[in-house]
Amino acid sequence: MAVKPTDVGTQDEANGHPNGTIKAETETPNGVKKSLCAKYIIALRPWSFSASLTPVLLGSTLAYRTTGAMDPFLTLVTCLAVLSVHGAGNLVNTYYDFKKGIDTKKSDDRTLVDHILEPNNVVGLGATLYCIGCVCFVLLVQFSPLRMEHLALLYFGGLSGSFLYTGGMGLKYVALGDVVILITFGPLAVLFAYSVHVGKLTLSPLLYAIPLALNTEAILHSNNARDMETDKSSKVVTLAILLGQTGSYALYALLLFTPYILFAILATNFSKWLFLPLITLPQAFSLERDFREHRMAKLPQKTAKLNLPLGLLYLLGCLMAQPGQLPGLS
């Protein structure tokens, strides 16, 4: 998943200097900070952060419905921990895709290809974000009622997933990236946020995580389906490649619409407020049509834009449900 950064080559050539942007930056020190900040933001792909933020907020909401209280400090620290790990994982992905020659001038993510940032910048920022996440983990150990070994299991499980997706054994490159995303950006994140507040591990939050996990996997799958030819030429194996174009379309539709079926079942049997996410159904049909008609260029970003309102309406539905209407929560 990547945002297409601005191509700086033309500007450099116009300046008549191989590093024209650097020259401009040295003349305006304040501009250097702004420019570097913008480059780091591009590399982090903040448009994808809803995929980790909404599960954390869902877990915190479910904890509130269970205990009747929510600690704002624990919620904030948990959000920062998960977002830091997510951002670091994005940078690991950028670094290893570049090192393996997967990212080219035609790629969507050209952060390193176009020298918008250098590899050491990406590594440094990624390490900083992992450190921030670990500081948040220490704070949670101090203030959360959850036992340290359980916190460590959940947090470092997520951290390992974010790194191993493309780093280390590179699960993304052997068709296992989808499994990592399904687990990390759904059940694991929801259970982590829930347990931090409640102080124990239970199975019920995992069931509530399924709709968000499927929608988040749709983001990744649309990205892999769009990049099938590029990945094939780089000898990368993804689930989209294994399924082919028709199979990938069928899977995308399944990932996209199954959450709405689950919401309808929950709303019919438990609380009418869980019909709220169905407000976004027209947007989902628009995305399905884009995939079917092979308008893939910005489909991952468009799918990510569905993730946030879908997640927030799901949260609102859980908050508005009457006591006892959410199964598995006491």
Side-chain angles (χ1 to χ4, degrees):
M1 297 181 289
V3 178
K4 182 178 180 180
T6 303
D7 192 343
V8 298
T10 303
Q11 182 179 348
D12 290 347
E13 292 167 3
N15 290 338
H17 189 282
N19 294 302
T21 53
I22 296 176
K23 179 181 178 182
E25 288 173 352
T26 55
E27 291 175 354
T28 56
N30 291 332
V32 173
K33 288 186 177 180
K34 291 181 181 179
S35 179
L36 285 175
C37 181
K39 292 175 182 179
Y40 283 135
I41 290 173
I42 289 171
L44 287 173
R45 310 172 209 171
W47 58 266
S48 68
F49 284 171
S50 65
S52 56
L53 184 61
T54 49
V56 171
L57 295 178
L58 175 62
S60 301
T61 299
L62 296 176
Y64 170 73
R65 296 312 309 264
T66 299
T67 65
M70 182 188 295
D71 187 326
F73 176 74
L74 287 179
T75 302
L76 180 63
V77 174
T78 304
C79 285
L80 182 58
V82 173
L83 287 173
S84 296
V85 170
H86 185 175
N90 284 348
L91 294 169
V92 171
N93 183 36
T94 294
Y95 179 81
Y96 278 98
D97 275 358
F98 175 74
K99 285 295 184 182
K100 293 177 183 291
I102 296 171
D103 284 343
T104 66
K105 286 288 185 181
K106 295 181 179 180
S107 300
D108 201 28
D109 180 10
R110 303 204 309 275
T111 304
L112 292 176
V113 175
D114 287 345
H115 302 287
I116 293 174
L117 289 175
E118 296 302 320
N120 63 317
N121 300 131
V122 171
V123 171
L125 180 58
T128 300
L129 289 174
Y130 276 134
C131 289
I132 292 172
C134 289
V135 170
C136 293
F137 168 74
V138 172
L139 290 174
L140 291 174
V141 168
Q142 294 297 317
F143 295 101
S144 170
L146 187 62
R147 293 169 57 183
M148 184 182 71
E149 54 267 35
H150 292 161
L151 267 172
L153 176 66
L154 295 173
Y155 173 75
F156 288 105
L159 187 151
S160 299
S162 78
F163 180 80
L164 293 175
Y165 177 69
T166 46
M169 64 183 70
L171 297 173
K172 166 188 172 179
Y173 308 122
V174 290
L176 293 175
D178 298 81
V179 177
V180 175
I181 296 301
L182 269 174
I183 295 174
T184 305
F185 291 102
L188 191 62
V190 172
L191 182 61
F192 180 57
Y194 178 87
S195 303
V196 159
H197 288 85
V198 175
K200 60 180 180 180
L201 300 178
T202 58
L203 292 177
S204 55
L206 301 180
L207 301 177
Y208 285 92
I210 292 173
L212 288 183
L214 294 176
N215 185 262
T216 301
E217 166 60 14
I219 302 173
L220 173 67
H221 183 66
S222 64
N223 182 83
N224 289 343
R226 181 197 62 190
D227 295 343
M228 270 196 282
E229 295 306 318
T230 303
D231 289 341
K232 281 181 183 178
S233 64
S234 301
K235 295 183 170 38
V236 173
V237 180
T238 64
L239 184 58
I241 291 174
L242 296 177
L243 292 175
Q245 186 65 38
T246 302
S248 292
Y249 164 73
L251 178 59
Y252 181 74
L254 183 69
L255 294 169
L256 203 58
F257 293 116
T258 299
Y260 294 102
I261 297 172
L262 297 177
F263 291 138
I265 293 172
L266 288 171
T268 302
N269 291 281
F270 299 104
S271 172
K272 304 302 181 187
W273 286 104
L274 292 173
F275 276 123
L276 278 175
L278 271 69
I279 294 173
T280 63
L281 193 54
Q283 189 176 349
F285 277 112
S286 175
L287 294 171
E288 178 273 331
R289 185 167 56 252
D290 282 347
F291 197 118
R292 177 162 35 91
E293 297 177 358
H294 306 291
R295 295 193 295 266
M296 305 291 290
K298 292 297 180 182
L299 189 60
Q301 289 90 330
K302 290 180 179 179
T303 308
K305 287 181 180 178
L306 170 64
N307 186 265
L308 183 58
L310 178 76
L312 293 179
L313 288 170
Y314 185 22
L315 297 180
L316 183 59
C318 291
L319 283 172
M320 297 301 293
Q322 295 298 314
Q325 287 188 326
L326 296 178
L329 301 180
S330 57

